[in-house]
């Protein structure tokens, strides 16, 4: 380990399961990178909805992962574990983590790091990994969205949704989105949704049928679940694919599966966090080849709603839980300011 590294760092601990107030600044030893890992001096860390679940005690880190929240960071490589040849100390990277991002340093498998896209500051870079990995693997790999197909994104103004709309559009799909309220719908339209549906005022099933001449959409990305599952199947095209990444309205539903069979539809889903390093590395490689050029050209990019200093992580969670944000909320450290 380089001699100039501090022994201790500021982190955000989850004192006990509960509301945002249980997030407390604490002090921990700076982690040592294990073989195959890099140590990152964190400049900025993205806040994601799964962090709320972890704080509430409902989304434990996978075995071996840090119990500190935080699934993505950007910063500079501070030290290398044995066997790491792809990165050098001082490199500017962003990384997908299984935990540990709300901290001044974090250790992560080298293969889960990507270069900070050219032209990006650390705040924007920190806002990329979680949503871009999630959308890429679910929408393009799992659901196989193709050029010329149609794509419905629920939660269009969320961190995930803003990424999904842009990537769907950039890869040549017709994109539709749902969001709660006129302001969020306007944001979805600005990002490339051909039609943004305010689900509080309109029935999205009828709106999609109307927009697609009755055919329905080829792919749906859903985080809502509950009554949306049957409604999604009702506006999914023949051979359509519905991919679940969360169940904000519940995962237990009563469902008539007849349309699934008759229209040869696929219902699938996945979570990113428990996947192996090799699986995450494969997604990172695909992103580097297919999506990094789009980020660097400004074709797609994270939408930053607001930043908070790391110590104010509780306020960042309050904001996310208020549901008033559009896009991403990011924490910054002293190294990032
Ligand atoms: N499976 C995975 O690998 C994976 C990875 C990352 C994230 N996720 C999930 O993806 C979701 C989005 O994450 P994020 O970080 O982007 O969160 P976020 O920005 O807080 O977005 C949450 C979204 O959910 C919508 N929403 C909440 N309750 C709803 C309801 N009852 N009906 C309809 N929409 C509702 C909100 O939009 P409105 O205000 O328009 O309702 C909001 O846009 C989360 O559920 C998260 O757990 C899954």
């Amino acid at each position: 380990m380089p001699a100039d590294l501090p022994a201790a760092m500021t982190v955000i601990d989850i004192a006990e399961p509960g509301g945002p107030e249980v997030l407390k600044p604490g002090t921990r030893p700076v982690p040592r990178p294990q073989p195959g890992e890099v140590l990152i001096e964190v400049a900025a860390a993205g806040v994601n909805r799964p962090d709320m679940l972890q704080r509430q005690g409902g989304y434990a880190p996978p075995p071996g992962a840090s119990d500190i929240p935080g699934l993505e960071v950007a910063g500079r490589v501070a030290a290398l574990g044995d066997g790491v040849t792809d990165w050098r100390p001082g490199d500017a990277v962003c990384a997908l983590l299984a935990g540990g991002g709300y901290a001044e340093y974090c250790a992560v498998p080298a293969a889960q790091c990507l270069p900070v896209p050219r032209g990006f500051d650390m705040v924007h870079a920190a806002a990329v990994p979680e949503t871009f990995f999630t959308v890429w693997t679910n929408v393009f790999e799992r659901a196989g969205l193709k050029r010329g197909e149609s794509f419905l994104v629920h939660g269009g103004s969320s961190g995930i949704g803003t990424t999904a709309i842009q990537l769907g559009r950039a890869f040549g799909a017709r994109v539709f989105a749902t969001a709660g309220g006129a302001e969020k719908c306007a944001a979805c339209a600005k990002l490339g949704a051909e039609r943004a549906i305010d689900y509080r005022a309109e029935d999205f099933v009828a709106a999609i049928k109307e927009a697609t001449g009755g055919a329905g959409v080829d792919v749906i990305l859903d985080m809502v679940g509950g009554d949306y599952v049957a409604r999604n199947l009702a506006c999914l095209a023949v051979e359509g694919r519905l991919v679940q990444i969360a169940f904000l309205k519940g995962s237990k539903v009563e469902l008539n599966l007849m349309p699934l069979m008759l229209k040869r539809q696929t219902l699938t889903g996945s979570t990113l966090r428990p996947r192996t390093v090799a699986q995450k590395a494969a997604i990172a490689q695909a992103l580097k080849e297919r999506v990094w050029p789009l980020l660097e050209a400004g074709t797609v990019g994270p939408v930053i709603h607001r930043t908070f200093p790391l110590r104010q992580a509780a306020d960042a969670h309050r904001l996310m839980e208020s549901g008033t944000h559009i896009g991403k909320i990011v924490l910054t450290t002293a190294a990032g300011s």
Side-chain angles (χ1 to χ4, degrees), residues 47-53 59 71 130-131 134 137-138 154-162 178-181 184 199-200 222-224 228 244-249 269-275 320-321 323-329:
V47 175
N48 292 282
R49 178 72 52 165
D51 305 345
M52 318 288 114
L53 297 180
Y59 193 44
L71 300 173
E130 177 70 10
T131 67
T134 300
T137 190
N138 283 290
H154 289 301
S157 64
S158 64
I160 293 279
T162 51
T178 64
K184 289 184 172 182
Y199 68 84
R200 293 184 189 152
D222 186 37
M223 58 187 72
V224 180
Y228 273 39
Q244 294 291 156
I245 56 163
F247 293 97
L248 289 164
K249 282 176 86 176
S270 79
T271 56
L272 184 60
R273 199 180 189 190
R275 295 207 209 170
M320 183 166 268
E321 287 183 345
T324 55
H325 62 293
I326 293 175
K328 299 281 298 187
I329 300 166

Side-chain angles (χ1 to χ4, degrees), residues 288-304:
K288 195 171 169 191
E289 282 162 29
R290 308 286 309 278
V291 175
W292 249 235
L294 300 175
L295 289 167
E296 293 183 342
T299 311
V300 301
V303 176
I304 306 298

Side-chain angles (χ1 to χ4, degrees), residues 248-323:
L248 289 164
K249 282 176 86 176
S251 58
K252 291 189 180 166
V253 296
E254 193 176 312
L255 203 55
N256 177 1
L257 287 168
M258 192 62 80
L260 189 89
M261 180 177 74
L262 295 177
K263 289 161 84 181
R264 301 185 297 282
Q265 295 164 332
T266 301
L267 171 52
T268 183
S270 79
T271 56
L272 184 60
R273 199 180 189 190
R275 295 207 209 170
T276 64
V277 173
Q279 289 169 331
K280 290 173 183 171
I283 302 170
Q285 243 355 84
L287 285 172
K288 195 171 169 191
E289 282 162 29
R290 308 286 309 278
V291 175
W292 249 235
L294 300 175
L295 289 167
E296 293 183 342
T299 311
V300 301
V303 176
I304 306 298
H305 182 79
R306 198 176 153 182
T307 65
F308 290 87
L310 177 65
R311 286 178 167 277
Q312 291 175 27
D315 291 331
H317 277 215
R318 283 185 193 99
L319 173 58
M320 183 166 268
E321 287 183 345
S322 76

